[in-house]
Short mmCIF file of all heavy atoms in Angstrom, two decimals:
data_model
loop_
_atom_site.label_atom_id
_atom_site.label_comp_id
_atom_site.label_asym_id
_atom_site.label_seq_id
_atom_site.Cartn_x
_atom_site.Cartn_y
_atom_site.Cartn_z
N TYR A 153 218.26 -75.86 -163.47
CA TYR A 153 217.68 -75.59 -162.16
C TYR A 153 217.35 -76.88 -161.43
O TYR A 153 217.56 -77.02 -160.22
CB TYR A 153 216.40 -74.75 -162.30
CG TYR A 153 216.60 -73.30 -162.67
CD1 TYR A 153 215.85 -72.72 -163.68
CD2 TYR A 153 217.53 -72.51 -161.99
CE1 TYR A 153 216.02 -71.38 -164.02
CE2 TYR A 153 217.70 -71.18 -162.32
CZ TYR A 153 216.94 -70.61 -163.34
OH TYR A 153 217.09 -69.28 -163.67
N ALA A 154 216.77 -77.85 -162.17
CA ALA A 154 216.37 -79.12 -161.55
C ALA A 154 217.58 -79.84 -160.95
O ALA A 154 217.48 -80.44 -159.87
CB ALA A 154 215.69 -80.01 -162.59
N ALA A 155 218.72 -79.76 -161.62
CA ALA A 155 219.92 -80.44 -161.13
C ALA A 155 220.40 -79.89 -159.80
O ALA A 155 221.03 -80.59 -159.00
CB ALA A 155 221.04 -80.34 -162.17
N ALA A 156 220.06 -78.62 -159.54
CA ALA A 156 220.47 -77.98 -158.29
C ALA A 156 219.49 -78.25 -157.15
O ALA A 156 219.69 -77.78 -156.03
CB ALA A 156 220.64 -76.48 -158.49
N GLY A 157 218.40 -78.97 -157.45
CA GLY A 157 217.44 -79.32 -156.41
C GLY A 157 216.69 -78.12 -155.85
O GLY A 157 216.31 -77.20 -156.59
N SER A 158 216.48 -78.12 -154.54
CA SER A 158 215.71 -77.04 -153.91
C SER A 158 216.40 -75.69 -154.08
O SER A 158 215.74 -74.65 -154.18
CB SER A 158 215.50 -77.33 -152.42
OG SER A 158 216.75 -77.49 -151.75
N ALA A 159 217.72 -75.68 -154.11
CA ALA A 159 218.45 -74.43 -154.32
C ALA A 159 218.15 -73.86 -155.71
O ALA A 159 218.03 -72.64 -155.88
CB ALA A 159 219.95 -74.65 -154.17
N GLY A 160 218.01 -74.74 -156.69
CA GLY A 160 217.66 -74.30 -158.03
C GLY A 160 216.26 -73.72 -158.08
O GLY A 160 216.02 -72.69 -158.73
N MET A 161 215.31 -74.37 -157.39
CA MET A 161 213.94 -73.86 -157.36
C MET A 161 213.85 -72.52 -156.63
O MET A 161 213.11 -71.62 -157.03
CB MET A 161 213.01 -74.88 -156.70
CG MET A 161 212.79 -76.15 -157.51
SD MET A 161 212.00 -75.85 -159.13
CE MET A 161 213.43 -75.73 -160.22
N LEU A 162 214.63 -72.38 -155.56
CA LEU A 162 214.67 -71.09 -154.86
C LEU A 162 215.23 -70.01 -155.78
O LEU A 162 214.70 -68.89 -155.84
CB LEU A 162 215.51 -71.20 -153.60
CG LEU A 162 215.73 -69.89 -152.82
CD1 LEU A 162 214.40 -69.32 -152.32
CD2 LEU A 162 216.71 -70.11 -151.67
N THR A 163 216.26 -70.34 -156.52
CA THR A 163 216.90 -69.37 -157.42
C THR A 163 215.96 -68.91 -158.52
O THR A 163 215.84 -67.71 -158.79
CB THR A 163 218.17 -69.97 -158.03
OG1 THR A 163 219.09 -70.31 -156.99
CG2 THR A 163 218.83 -68.97 -158.98
N VAL A 164 215.26 -69.85 -159.17
CA VAL A 164 214.36 -69.47 -160.26
C VAL A 164 213.20 -68.63 -159.71
O VAL A 164 212.76 -67.67 -160.35
CB VAL A 164 213.85 -70.71 -161.03
CG1 VAL A 164 212.95 -71.58 -160.19
CG2 VAL A 164 213.13 -70.27 -162.30
N PHE A 165 212.72 -68.96 -158.51
CA PHE A 165 211.63 -68.19 -157.91
C PHE A 165 212.08 -66.76 -157.61
O PHE A 165 211.37 -65.79 -157.93
CB PHE A 165 211.15 -68.88 -156.63
CG PHE A 165 210.05 -68.12 -155.92
CD1 PHE A 165 208.73 -68.18 -156.37
CD2 PHE A 165 210.34 -67.35 -154.80
CE1 PHE A 165 207.73 -67.48 -155.73
CE2 PHE A 165 209.34 -66.65 -154.15
CZ PHE A 165 208.03 -66.72 -154.60
N ILE A 166 213.25 -66.60 -157.00
CA ILE A 166 213.74 -65.26 -156.66
C ILE A 166 214.04 -64.46 -157.92
O ILE A 166 213.75 -63.25 -157.99
CB ILE A 166 215.00 -65.34 -155.76
CG1 ILE A 166 214.64 -65.97 -154.41
CG2 ILE A 166 215.61 -63.96 -155.56
CD1 ILE A 166 213.59 -65.20 -153.62
N ARG A 167 214.57 -65.10 -158.95
CA ARG A 167 214.80 -64.41 -160.23
C ARG A 167 213.48 -63.91 -160.82
O ARG A 167 213.43 -62.85 -161.44
CB ARG A 167 215.51 -65.33 -161.21
CG ARG A 167 217.01 -65.46 -160.98
CD ARG A 167 217.66 -66.33 -162.04
NE ARG A 167 219.11 -66.26 -161.95
CZ ARG A 167 219.94 -66.99 -162.70
NH1 ARG A 167 219.43 -67.84 -163.59
NH2 ARG A 167 221.24 -66.88 -162.56
N ALA A 168 212.42 -64.69 -160.62
CA ALA A 168 211.11 -64.29 -161.13
C ALA A 168 210.53 -63.14 -160.32
O ALA A 168 209.91 -62.23 -160.87
CB ALA A 168 210.16 -65.49 -161.10
N VAL A 169 210.72 -63.17 -159.00
CA VAL A 169 210.28 -62.06 -158.14
C VAL A 169 210.97 -60.77 -158.58
O VAL A 169 210.33 -59.73 -158.77
CB VAL A 169 210.58 -62.36 -156.66
CG1 VAL A 169 210.33 -61.11 -155.80
CG2 VAL A 169 209.72 -63.52 -156.15
N MET A 170 212.29 -60.84 -158.72
CA MET A 170 213.06 -59.66 -159.11
C MET A 170 212.67 -59.18 -160.50
O MET A 170 212.64 -57.97 -160.77
CB MET A 170 214.55 -59.99 -159.07
CG MET A 170 215.09 -60.39 -157.72
SD MET A 170 215.15 -59.03 -156.55
CE MET A 170 216.63 -58.19 -157.11
N CYS A 171 212.35 -60.12 -161.38
CA CYS A 171 211.95 -59.76 -162.73
C CYS A 171 210.72 -58.86 -162.71
O CYS A 171 210.72 -57.78 -163.30
CB CYS A 171 211.66 -61.02 -163.56
SG CYS A 171 210.90 -60.66 -165.16
N ASN A 172 209.66 -59.31 -162.04
CA ASN A 172 208.43 -58.51 -162.11
C ASN A 172 208.48 -57.29 -161.22
O ASN A 172 207.65 -56.40 -161.36
CB ASN A 172 207.19 -59.35 -161.80
CG ASN A 172 205.98 -58.81 -162.55
OD1 ASN A 172 206.12 -58.10 -163.55
ND2 ASN A 172 204.79 -59.12 -162.06
N TRP A 173 209.43 -57.21 -160.32
CA TRP A 173 209.70 -55.95 -159.63
C TRP A 173 210.07 -54.91 -160.69
O TRP A 173 209.57 -53.79 -160.69
CB TRP A 173 210.81 -56.16 -158.61
CG TRP A 173 211.17 -54.95 -157.79
CD1 TRP A 173 210.65 -53.69 -157.87
CD2 TRP A 173 212.16 -54.92 -156.75
NE1 TRP A 173 211.25 -52.86 -156.95
CE2 TRP A 173 212.18 -53.60 -156.25
CE3 TRP A 173 213.02 -55.86 -156.21
CZ2 TRP A 173 213.05 -53.21 -155.22
CZ3 TRP A 173 213.87 -55.48 -155.18
CH2 TRP A 173 213.88 -54.17 -154.70
N MET A 174 210.96 -55.30 -161.59
CA MET A 174 211.40 -54.37 -162.63
C MET A 174 210.36 -54.21 -163.75
O MET A 174 210.07 -53.10 -164.19
CB MET A 174 212.72 -54.85 -163.23
CG MET A 174 213.92 -54.74 -162.29
SD MET A 174 214.33 -53.00 -161.91
CE MET A 174 213.47 -52.78 -160.34
N VAL A 175 209.79 -55.32 -164.22
CA VAL A 175 208.86 -55.24 -165.35
C VAL A 175 207.61 -54.43 -164.98
O VAL A 175 207.14 -53.60 -165.75
CB VAL A 175 208.48 -56.64 -165.85
CG1 VAL A 175 207.35 -56.57 -166.88
CG2 VAL A 175 209.69 -57.34 -166.44
N SER A 176 207.08 -54.67 -163.78
CA SER A 176 205.90 -53.90 -163.37
C SER A 176 206.25 -52.44 -163.10
O SER A 176 205.39 -51.57 -163.25
CB SER A 176 205.26 -54.53 -162.14
OG SER A 176 204.60 -55.73 -162.49
N THR A 177 207.48 -52.17 -162.73
CA THR A 177 207.92 -50.78 -162.65
C THR A 177 207.86 -50.15 -164.04
O THR A 177 207.51 -48.98 -164.20
CB THR A 177 209.34 -50.68 -162.07
OG1 THR A 177 209.34 -51.22 -160.74
CG2 THR A 177 209.82 -49.24 -162.02
N GLY A 178 208.18 -50.94 -165.06
CA GLY A 178 208.04 -50.46 -166.43
C GLY A 178 206.59 -50.22 -166.81
O GLY A 178 206.27 -49.25 -167.50
N VAL A 179 205.68 -51.09 -166.35
CA VAL A 179 204.26 -50.89 -166.59
C VAL A 179 203.79 -49.58 -165.98
O VAL A 179 203.08 -48.78 -166.61
CB VAL A 179 203.45 -52.08 -166.02
CG1 VAL A 179 201.95 -51.80 -166.10
CG2 VAL A 179 203.79 -53.36 -166.76
N VAL A 180 204.20 -49.34 -164.74
CA VAL A 180 203.85 -48.08 -164.06
C VAL A 180 204.52 -46.90 -164.77
O VAL A 180 203.96 -45.81 -164.85
CB VAL A 180 204.25 -48.14 -162.58
CG1 VAL A 180 203.98 -46.81 -161.89
CG2 VAL A 180 203.50 -49.27 -161.87
N GLY A 181 205.73 -47.15 -165.31
CA GLY A 181 206.44 -46.09 -166.01
C GLY A 181 205.63 -45.50 -167.15
O GLY A 181 205.73 -44.30 -167.43
N ALA A 182 204.80 -46.34 -167.79
CA ALA A 182 203.97 -45.85 -168.89
C ALA A 182 202.91 -44.87 -168.40
O ALA A 182 202.33 -44.12 -169.20
CB ALA A 182 203.30 -47.02 -169.60
N MET A 183 202.66 -44.86 -167.09
CA MET A 183 201.65 -43.96 -166.52
C MET A 183 202.27 -42.70 -165.92
O MET A 183 201.55 -41.82 -165.45
CB MET A 183 200.87 -44.69 -165.41
CG MET A 183 200.22 -45.98 -165.87
SD MET A 183 199.38 -46.83 -164.50
CE MET A 183 198.91 -48.36 -165.30
N MET A 184 203.59 -42.61 -165.93
CA MET A 184 204.28 -41.51 -165.28
C MET A 184 204.39 -40.26 -166.12
O MET A 184 204.84 -39.22 -165.65
CB MET A 184 205.70 -41.94 -164.87
CG MET A 184 205.77 -42.99 -163.80
SD MET A 184 207.49 -43.44 -163.47
CE MET A 184 207.27 -44.65 -162.17
N SER A 185 204.02 -40.38 -167.39
CA SER A 185 204.18 -39.25 -168.30
C SER A 185 202.98 -39.18 -169.23
O SER A 185 202.35 -40.20 -169.54
CB SER A 185 205.47 -39.40 -169.11
OG SER A 185 205.57 -38.38 -170.09
N SER A 186 202.69 -37.98 -169.69
CA SER A 186 201.62 -37.79 -170.66
C SER A 186 202.16 -37.70 -172.09
O SER A 186 201.39 -37.57 -173.03
CB SER A 186 200.82 -36.53 -170.33
OG SER A 186 201.67 -35.39 -170.33
N SER A 187 203.49 -37.78 -172.25
CA SER A 187 204.10 -37.73 -173.58
C SER A 187 204.61 -39.11 -173.98
O SER A 187 205.00 -39.91 -173.12
CB SER A 187 205.26 -36.73 -173.61
OG SER A 187 206.37 -37.22 -172.88
N THR A 188 204.61 -39.38 -175.28
CA THR A 188 205.09 -40.68 -175.75
C THR A 188 206.57 -40.88 -175.42
O THR A 188 206.97 -41.96 -174.97
CB THR A 188 204.88 -40.80 -177.27
OG1 THR A 188 203.49 -40.65 -177.56
CG2 THR A 188 205.35 -42.14 -177.78
N SER A 189 207.37 -39.86 -175.62
CA SER A 189 208.81 -39.98 -175.33
C SER A 189 209.05 -40.22 -173.85
O SER A 189 209.91 -41.02 -173.47
CB SER A 189 209.55 -38.74 -175.79
OG SER A 189 209.05 -37.57 -175.15
N GLY A 190 208.28 -39.55 -172.99
CA GLY A 190 208.41 -39.75 -171.55
C GLY A 190 208.03 -41.16 -171.14
O GLY A 190 208.69 -41.78 -170.29
N LYS A 191 206.96 -41.68 -171.72
CA LYS A 191 206.54 -43.04 -171.43
C LYS A 191 207.61 -44.04 -171.82
O LYS A 191 207.94 -44.96 -171.07
CB LYS A 191 205.23 -43.36 -172.17
CG LYS A 191 203.99 -42.64 -171.64
CD LYS A 191 202.79 -42.95 -172.53
CE LYS A 191 201.54 -42.21 -172.08
NZ LYS A 191 201.03 -42.74 -170.80
N ILE A 192 208.18 -43.86 -173.02
CA ILE A 192 209.20 -44.79 -173.51
C ILE A 192 210.42 -44.77 -172.60
O ILE A 192 210.96 -45.83 -172.23
CB ILE A 192 209.59 -44.44 -174.96
CG1 ILE A 192 208.43 -44.76 -175.91
CG2 ILE A 192 210.85 -45.20 -175.38
CD1 ILE A 192 208.64 -44.29 -177.33
N MET A 193 210.87 -43.59 -172.21
CA MET A 193 212.05 -43.50 -171.36
C MET A 193 211.81 -44.16 -170.01
O MET A 193 212.67 -44.91 -169.50
CB MET A 193 212.44 -42.03 -171.15
CG MET A 193 213.73 -41.84 -170.38
SD MET A 193 214.19 -40.10 -170.25
CE MET A 193 214.43 -39.69 -171.97
N ALA A 194 210.63 -43.94 -169.43
CA ALA A 194 210.33 -44.52 -168.12
C ALA A 194 210.17 -46.03 -168.19
O ALA A 194 210.51 -46.74 -167.24
CB ALA A 194 209.05 -43.89 -167.56
N MET A 195 209.67 -46.55 -169.32
CA MET A 195 209.54 -47.99 -169.47
C MET A 195 210.89 -48.64 -169.76
O MET A 195 211.17 -49.76 -169.31
CB MET A 195 208.57 -48.32 -170.61
CG MET A 195 207.10 -48.06 -170.29
SD MET A 195 205.99 -48.68 -171.57
CE MET A 195 206.16 -47.43 -172.85
N TRP A 196 211.72 -47.97 -170.53
CA TRP A 196 212.97 -48.57 -171.02
C TRP A 196 213.91 -48.95 -169.89
O TRP A 196 214.51 -50.04 -169.90
CB TRP A 196 213.67 -47.58 -171.96
CG TRP A 196 214.57 -48.23 -172.96
CD1 TRP A 196 215.83 -48.74 -172.75
CD2 TRP A 196 214.27 -48.47 -174.34
NE1 TRP A 196 216.33 -49.25 -173.91
CE2 TRP A 196 215.39 -49.11 -174.91
CE3 TRP A 196 213.17 -48.19 -175.15
CZ2 TRP A 196 215.45 -49.47 -176.25
CZ3 TRP A 196 213.21 -48.56 -176.48
CH2 TRP A 196 214.35 -49.19 -177.02
N MET A 197 214.03 -48.09 -168.89
CA MET A 197 215.06 -48.28 -167.86
C MET A 197 214.90 -49.58 -167.06
O MET A 197 215.84 -50.39 -166.99
CB MET A 197 215.10 -47.06 -166.95
CG MET A 197 215.55 -45.78 -167.65
SD MET A 197 215.65 -44.34 -166.55
CE MET A 197 213.89 -44.02 -166.24
N PRO A 198 213.74 -49.84 -166.46
CA PRO A 198 213.64 -51.09 -165.68
C PRO A 198 213.66 -52.35 -166.53
O PRO A 198 214.13 -53.40 -166.07
CB PRO A 198 212.31 -50.93 -164.93
CG PRO A 198 211.53 -49.96 -165.74
CD PRO A 198 212.53 -49.01 -166.32
N ILE A 199 213.19 -52.28 -167.78
CA ILE A 199 213.22 -53.45 -168.64
C ILE A 199 214.66 -53.81 -169.00
O ILE A 199 215.04 -54.98 -169.07
CB ILE A 199 212.37 -53.24 -169.91
CG1 ILE A 199 210.94 -52.87 -169.54
CG2 ILE A 199 212.40 -54.49 -170.79
CD1 ILE A 199 210.26 -53.84 -168.60
N LEU A 200 215.48 -52.81 -169.23
CA LEU A 200 216.91 -53.03 -169.47
C LEU A 200 217.54 -53.74 -168.27
O LEU A 200 218.30 -54.71 -168.44
CB LEU A 200 217.60 -51.68 -169.71
CG LEU A 200 219.13 -51.63 -169.60
CD1 LEU A 200 219.77 -52.56 -170.63
CD2 LEU A 200 219.62 -50.21 -169.78
N VAL A 201 217.22 -53.30 -167.06
CA VAL A 201 217.79 -53.91 -165.85
C VAL A 201 217.39 -55.38 -165.75
O VAL A 201 218.24 -56.26 -165.52
CB VAL A 201 217.32 -53.14 -164.59
CG1 VAL A 201 217.74 -53.88 -163.32
CG2 VAL A 201 217.90 -51.72 -164.59
N PHE A 202 216.10 -55.67 -165.93
CA PHE A 202 215.63 -57.06 -165.81
C PHE A 202 216.32 -57.96 -166.83
O PHE A 202 216.75 -59.07 -166.50
CB PHE A 202 214.10 -57.10 -165.94
CG PHE A 202 213.56 -58.00 -167.02
CD1 PHE A 202 213.69 -59.37 -166.96
CD2 PHE A 202 212.90 -57.45 -168.13
CE1 PHE A 202 213.18 -60.20 -167.98
CE2 PHE A 202 212.39 -58.25 -169.13
CZ PHE A 202 212.54 -59.64 -169.05
N PHE A 203 216.41 -57.51 -168.07
CA PHE A 203 216.92 -58.39 -169.12
C PHE A 203 218.42 -58.64 -168.95
O PHE A 203 218.88 -59.78 -169.09
CB PHE A 203 216.61 -57.80 -170.49
CG PHE A 203 216.70 -58.82 -171.60
CD1 PHE A 203 215.65 -59.68 -171.85
CD2 PHE A 203 217.83 -58.92 -172.40
CE1 PHE A 203 215.72 -60.64 -172.86
CE2 PHE A 203 217.91 -59.86 -173.41
CZ PHE A 203 216.85 -60.72 -173.64
N TYR A 204 219.17 -57.60 -168.65
CA TYR A 204 220.62 -57.77 -168.55
C TYR A 204 221.00 -58.65 -167.36
O TYR A 204 221.97 -59.41 -167.41
CB TYR A 204 221.32 -56.41 -168.43
CG TYR A 204 222.83 -56.54 -168.50
CD1 TYR A 204 223.46 -56.85 -169.69
CD2 TYR A 204 223.61 -56.37 -167.35
CE1 TYR A 204 224.84 -57.00 -169.76
CE2 TYR A 204 224.99 -56.51 -167.41
CZ TYR A 204 225.60 -56.82 -168.62
OH TYR A 204 226.96 -56.97 -168.68
N LEU A 205 220.23 -58.56 -166.27
CA LEU A 205 220.54 -59.36 -165.08
C LEU A 205 220.03 -60.80 -165.19
O LEU A 205 220.25 -61.60 -164.29
CB LEU A 205 219.95 -58.68 -163.84
CG LEU A 205 220.64 -57.38 -163.42
CD1 LEU A 205 219.93 -56.75 -162.23
CD2 LEU A 205 222.12 -57.63 -163.08
N GLY A 206 219.35 -61.14 -166.28
CA GLY A 206 218.96 -62.52 -166.51
C GLY A 206 217.83 -63.00 -165.63
O GLY A 206 217.75 -64.19 -165.30
#
Side-chain angles (χ1 to χ4, degrees):
Y153 286 133
S158 58
M161 291 298 94
L162 175 62
T163 300
V164 67
F165 178 79
I166 295 300
R167 281 183 170 175
V169 170
M170 299 289 282
C171 171
N172 210 22
W173 182 358
M174 290 294 96
V175 171
S176 287
T177 298
V179 172
V180 176
M183 304 177 187
M184 293 178 179
S185 174
S186 59
S187 71
T188 301
S189 59
K191 290 175 182 290
I192 291 173
M193 185 177 297
M195 287 188 283
W196 205 282
M197 294 182 289
I199 304 306
L200 164 61
V201 172
F202 124 67
F203 198 81
Y204 187 71
L205 290 176

